[in-house]
Amino acid sequence: MKNLVKINKNLIVLAAVLLTACGKKDNTEETASDSTAIESPIANLTAKQIQNIGIVTAPMEQKTFSTILKVSGKIDVPPQNLISVSVPMGGYLKSTHLIPGMFVRKGESIAVIEDQQYIQLQQDFLTTQSKISFLENEFQRQKELNQSKATSDKVFQQAEMELKTQRILVKSLAEKLKLAGINPDKLTENNISKSINIYSPINGYVSKVNVNIGKYISNTEVMFELVNTSDIHLALKIFEKDLDKLSIGQKVTAYTNTHPDKKYPCEILLIGKSLSEERNTDVHCHFEAYDKALIPGTYMNAEIAINNAKAYVLPEDAIVRFENKHYVFVKKSETQFEMVEVQIGNTEKGLTEIIKTENLNNQTFVVKGAYSLLMSLKNKSEE
């Protein structure tokens, strides 16, 4: 029994030792995982170390820098090229051949609408028109009688008023016929019809079909939406900080996400004058050549060449990348260098643009040996 108790005590002690060892191992692993973080951005070197690394320093330069501004936007069309087709007086859709994507020409019949109100409208016009001939003769007769004092002025004025009233009514009915697509000049009692044709007002493509055969279309309902793509343009979103780099007539190269190798040359046509809450505005570009594959609403990327732009630059070797950020080393003294985060722009001919240089002017930077300094800071943090 005593031996059994002794064994149990030994097991308890052994378990405690194992738990303590595991705890130490976990702490060691946690420290190692944090060892990649840089504790201090200051690198202190001896003159001998600077010579061995081959550190070279130089100030930041301002040069004429041909940069590429990369932006995005979508294909758009002017409001006058977007057409909503409706029926001013309503009716039942008898027939149409339109489907989305179909091309239609201006003046082409795109739908047939029928309703009894069109019969009534034509009847009223022809009936009123026939009365005018009688009223004109009556007015002329009353005028002659009034001149010879054979009839009163009142009778003559009534004849005159009735003729004017009917002429106004005929004119009003003629305008309604035109609104319905019926030519009043060609309307006779022999060609009264219960249906009217709807004609395309533009050359363009069908973007939407909102109706079906047999449906009653009210005068406020949009049947079809047409778009004239001959004047499509590219609307780009440009942020406030880049607006002063753009001008009317500037060249733009656009491409889609699906076919990035196919380039579409454009030209800046209009620059917006108001900013959104996101501090950007629309810049409209005209395509130099029309491509029917370009559909309104398609998202596109674009590159704008900013020529002869002044920019502060450093050699590519002066910039190091660490934890998805970019840094440079600023010389604080002959043997001390500080790692500072920077925002970079485009790179051209071995030089990289530095953005937002307010706190970096008149400073001296490490242009050779920057990565060696970064490694020294990492190694120091791991010690």
Side-chain angles (χ1 to χ4, degrees), residues 161-177:
M161 181 187 67
E162 183 66 22
L163 177 60
K164 287 182 178 181
T165 301
Q166 292 301 310
R167 282 176 174 172
I168 293 173
L169 183 57
V170 164
K171 182 64 176 177
S172 175
L173 292 171
E175 292 302 316
K176 286 185 178 180
L177 288 171

Side-chain angles (χ1 to χ4, degrees), residues 46-111:
T46 64
K48 185 65 174 178
Q49 288 174 321
I50 292 176
Q51 182 179 0
N52 291 337
I53 294 175
I55 288 178
V56 177
T57 60
M60 188 162 48
E61 298 180 89
Q62 188 179 30
K63 290 190 174 183
T64 300
F65 203 60
S66 179
T67 61
I68 300 295
L69 179 62
K70 295 183 178 182
V71 293
S72 61
K74 65 178 182 178
I75 298 175
D76 201 1
V77 292
Q80 63 269 24
N81 285 9
L82 290 173
I83 306 296
S84 296
V85 181
S86 59
V87 185
M89 299 180 64
Y92 293 92
L93 180 61
K94 181 179 180 181
S95 65
T96 182
H97 62 282
L98 297 191
I99 57 175
M102 177 181 290
F103 179 79
V104 293
R105 297 189 179 279
K106 184 177 181 179
E108 177 184 344
S109 177
I110 57 177

Side-chain angles (χ1 to χ4, degrees), residues 2-12:
K2 289 181 179 180
N3 291 334
L4 182 59
V5 172
K6 186 176 181 179
I7 291 173
N8 289 337
K9 288 182 178 180
N10 291 335
L11 289 174
I12 292 173

Side-chain angles (χ1 to χ4, degrees), residues 300-340:
M300 298 192 77
N301 299 311
E303 296 178 352
I304 306 174
I306 310 299
N307 297 320
N308 301 324
K310 291 289 185 179
Y312 286 97
V313 297
L314 282 173
E316 285 185 82
D317 292 342
I319 301 164
V320 296
R321 184 181 177 89
F322 179 65
E323 292 186 344
N324 296 322
K325 295 180 181 180
H326 296 91
Y327 296 89
V328 295
F329 282 91
V330 178
K331 182 179 180 181
K332 307 303 291 184
S333 68
E334 291 299 324
T335 59
Q336 191 178 70
F337 307 92
E338 181 182 5
M339 189 170 76
V340 178

Side-chain angles (χ1 to χ4, degrees), residues 250-319:
Q250 199 166 358
K251 300 299 182 182
V252 179
T253 300
Y255 55 92
T256 63
N257 291 327
T258 53
H259 300 288
D261 295 333
K262 188 173 184 179
K263 307 298 183 180
Y264 297 92
C266 308
E267 183 178 285
I268 294 180
L269 183 67
L270 178 67
I271 300 175
K273 301 301 181 182
S274 60
L275 295 173
S276 66
E277 294 181 357
E278 292 77 22
R279 310 303 297 171
N280 61 37
T281 189
D282 286 334
V283 171
H284 299 275
C285 307
H286 179 72
F287 288 95
E288 292 185 2
Y290 168 67
D291 188 337
K292 64 180 181 180
L294 299 176
I295 302 173
T298 301
Y299 285 93
M300 298 192 77
N301 299 311
E303 296 178 352
I304 306 174
I306 310 299
N307 297 320
N308 301 324
K310 291 289 185 179
Y312 286 97
V313 297
L314 282 173
E316 285 185 82
D317 292 342
I319 301 164

